[in-house]
Amino acid sequence: MKLTGFSLQGLCMRLCVLWLLGLAGAAAQAAAATPVPKVQVPGKTSKPAKAVPPPKPVLAPPAGNLVIIGGGLRTENAEVWQRIVQLAGGKGARIGVFGSASINPESAAQATVNRLNQYGAQAFAIPLGVTWPNSDYRKAAEDPETVAMIHSATGIYFTGGDQARITKALVRPDGSHSAALDAVWDVYRDGGVVAGSSAGAAIMSTTMFYDAKSTLDMLKQGVNEGHEIASGLGFIGEDVFVDQHLLVRGRFARMIPVMLKKGYQIGLGIDENTAMVVNAKRDVEIIGYSGALLLDLSAAITDRGIKGFNISNATISYLDRGDKFNLVTREFTPSPDKADNKLDPNQPDAREPVYTNDILGNNAVLDLMVNLIDNAQQDAIGIAFGNPRDFNPELGFEFRFSKTINSVGYSSTEVEAYSVLKLRMDIRPIQLQQPLYRYR
């Protein structure tokens, strides 16, 4: 069979050629769309892709507890000593003791080791301190053996002395943590207890007193970084300022200029032979002999038109032994012996004016607060002034304490003890007549 101009065989051959050409074109297009891997040439390296930095580790809040002691902790104060041992794991708990704050750190550490062991611990001294005999404290703070000793503990205790010696021993000159300090933090984060008395309490906040003047001189002259204050170790967090020896030495007023300078809203000052126990939920419990003052400056203001230190609308509270306070919720829980004995402001126990001419004296502020909360008077005044031979003797300060609708008092049904909440406190400078007195 023949077709005009074509044979059947020729037509079939042409169709086959066209089909093969189509397949070849499709393969070429697919090849063009597929990336061709580069061939590595010997002696040359390809430029690596830019590395994505690993995410920074997120440190969980510490799971441990703090026992912050105001100094002067007596051997017979079983409540505090036993609590430290209990929080470290109970009988046989390994507690590492830093005597670093002391001029004689070895003997100071051993004395505390002996006391803790009396209450059931298996305590041991950590050989690290600026004045530790026959030792280079910088090397000791990085020594793997020292670090291993600390990691073997479930509790850490810092003795009293000079808090600057603690930070000098544990913080590198560039401000970073030594290996030993990181190990202490590991113990705390893993659920261990960190305790400290006096200087050991001062290091608990991010700012601590360093080379502090008297309270009155700090009100007169202010506070300066590297002189009156320096960096602490910050175990309690960045939002709370801590001070110690508080009521006995009348130190509550020196906390205020520091808090204003550094931006703290909350300050806790613990008295001697007394402790604040702070847990992972930030509950504060007062145990021991006395109590603590709580300062709240969240609504406080200063008047720049007044020459000299001043503050208005600060809030001051006294937390007695057995009382609890949460640093997050700001909720207060009275001790069981006060829970059902809230003071009735309509039935005050006293009516006479409340006044002291030495508000910075031993327990003076507590006596004034207690006398005011159960009184028909609405405010009380305390005065602070210095020796006529002191710097600027004519400058003094008036402390005015006032009850507000938020002020509350509780009284114990077992002993003569009070909790006083949310008194307003205003401080302003006053001019004193010189001389203060004349002979008759």
Side-chain angles (χ1 to χ4, degrees):
M1 174 179 179
K2 287 186 178 181
L3 295 175
T4 304
F6 289 96
S7 68
L8 180 62
Q9 183 178 6
L11 178 62
C12 290
M13 290 179 65
R14 288 171 184 247
L15 290 174
C16 287
V17 170
L18 291 174
W19 179 72
L20 289 172
L21 289 173
L23 286 177
Q29 289 180 354
T34 302
V36 178
K38 293 182 179 180
V39 178
Q40 183 69 46
V41 179
K44 294 186 178 181
T45 57
S46 60
K47 186 177 180 180
K50 187 176 181 181
V52 177
K56 293 182 178 180
V58 178
L59 298 177
N65 296 270
L66 302 175
V67 180
I68 305 172
I69 307 156
L73 180 60
R74 296 181 178 273
T75 304
E76 65 271 18
N77 193 333
E79 184 179 18
V80 175
W81 291 109
Q82 287 174 349
R83 183 67 69 88
I84 295 170
V85 175
Q86 174 198 345
L87 292 172
K91 186 175 180 179
R94 287 182 55 79
I95 301 176
V97 179
F98 284 88
S100 311
S102 175
I103 192 67
N104 297 308
E106 190 173 18
S107 60
Q110 191 58 51
T112 299
V113 165
N114 295 340
R115 290 183 183 181
L116 287 166
N117 289 346
Q118 288 178 23
Y119 287 93
Q122 289 185 357
F124 57 92
I126 297 173
L128 173 58
V130 176
T131 56
W132 194 280
N134 304 314
S135 174
D136 182 336
Y137 71 93
R138 293 288 184 205
K139 291 182 179 178
E142 310 295 345
D143 187 346
E145 290 188 9
T146 304
V147 172
M149 288 180 67
I150 298 170
H151 276 144
S152 74
T154 52
I156 300 294
Y157 190 104
F158 291 94
T159 69
D162 182 350
Q163 52 264 34
R165 293 193 189 106
I166 299 176
T167 55
K168 187 175 182 180
L170 289 174
V171 179
R172 295 174 181 142
D174 64 1
S176 62
H177 287 193
S178 65
L181 181 53
D182 277 337
V184 172
W185 272 97
D186 288 342
V187 172
Y188 180 35
R189 289 193 182 100
D190 290 344
V193 60
V194 176
S197 178
S198 189
I203 62 169
M204 294 289 179
S205 50
T206 53
T207 301
M208 68 181 192
F209 282 106
Y210 179 66
D211 186 17
K213 301 187 287 281
S214 72
T215 297
L216 189 59
D217 282 344
M218 274 189 274
L219 294 179
K220 291 181 178 182
Q221 302 175 43
V223 294
N224 299 284
E225 295 275 2
H227 293 278
E228 289 76 29
I229 57 174
S231 296
L233 300 184
F235 295 112
I236 199 170
E238 297 182 352
D239 57 337
V240 180
F241 180 64
V242 172
D243 201 5
Q244 23 72 33
H245 294 283
L246 205 83
L247 295 171
V248 168
R249 301 187 186 180
R251 286 180 167 178
F252 75 99
R254 78 176 192 169
M255 297 174 65
I256 302 171
V258 177
M259 292 173 65
L260 289 174
K261 183 178 182 66
K262 302 298 291 185
Y264 292 100
Q265 292 188 358
I266 295 293
L268 283 169
I270 187 71
D271 199 24
E272 292 185 358
N273 203 24
T274 309
M276 301 183 290
V277 181
V278 187
N279 66 19
K281 296 180 179 179
R282 310 201 80 195
D283 293 312
V284 179
E285 179 186 3
I286 310 300
I287 63 174
Y289 175 74
S290 181
L293 284 180
L294 167 67
L295 295 175
D296 185 345
L297 304 188
S298 57
I301 58 173
T302 58
D303 186 346
R304 295 186 179 182
I306 297 177
K307 186 178 180 180
F309 173 80
N310 70 92
I311 192 169
S312 298
N313 205 34
T315 300
I316 185 168
S317 302
Y318 173 70
L319 311 179
D320 194 33
R321 58 181 297 179
D323 293 343
K324 296 180 180 180
F325 179 81
N326 186 274
L327 293 169
V328 179
T329 65
R330 311 284 175 92
E331 292 181 359
F332 169 82
T333 305
S335 59
D337 59 314
K338 302 191 195 82
D340 297 324
N341 204 28
K342 184 177 179 180
L343 298 177
D344 185 351
N346 297 315
Q347 295 182 338
D349 185 60
R351 296 185 176 277
E352 66 275 7
V354 184
Y355 171 81
T356 177
N357 61 3
D358 186 16
I359 190 63
L360 303 181
N362 184 347
N363 278 301
V365 65
L366 175 58
D367 291 342
L368 183 144
M369 292 172 67
V370 168
N371 288 332
L372 176 61
I373 198 65
D374 200 14
N375 197 304
Q377 302 291 332
Q378 292 302 302
D379 59 16
I381 292 176
I383 301 296
F385 56 89
N387 190 303
R389 297 181 178 88
D390 286 346
F391 168 80
N392 202 359
E394 69 279 1
L395 175 60
F397 293 88
E398 177 196 79
F399 292 70
R400 184 178 295 270
F401 299 80
S402 309
K403 287 185 287 189
T404 71
I405 58 173
N406 298 316
S407 302
V408 181
Y410 293 86
S411 176
S412 172
T413 56
E414 299 176 0
V415 295
E416 188 174 354
Y418 295 83
S419 302
V420 183
L421 304 180
K422 299 183 179 180
L423 291 178
R424 172 174 169 154
M425 180 174 63
D426 303 305
I427 307 172
R428 62 179 295 152
I430 56 174
Q431 187 80 18
L432 296 168
Q433 185 69 39
Q434 295 294 322
L436 292 174
Y437 59 86
R438 292 179 296 176
Y439 294 108
R440 295 177 68 90

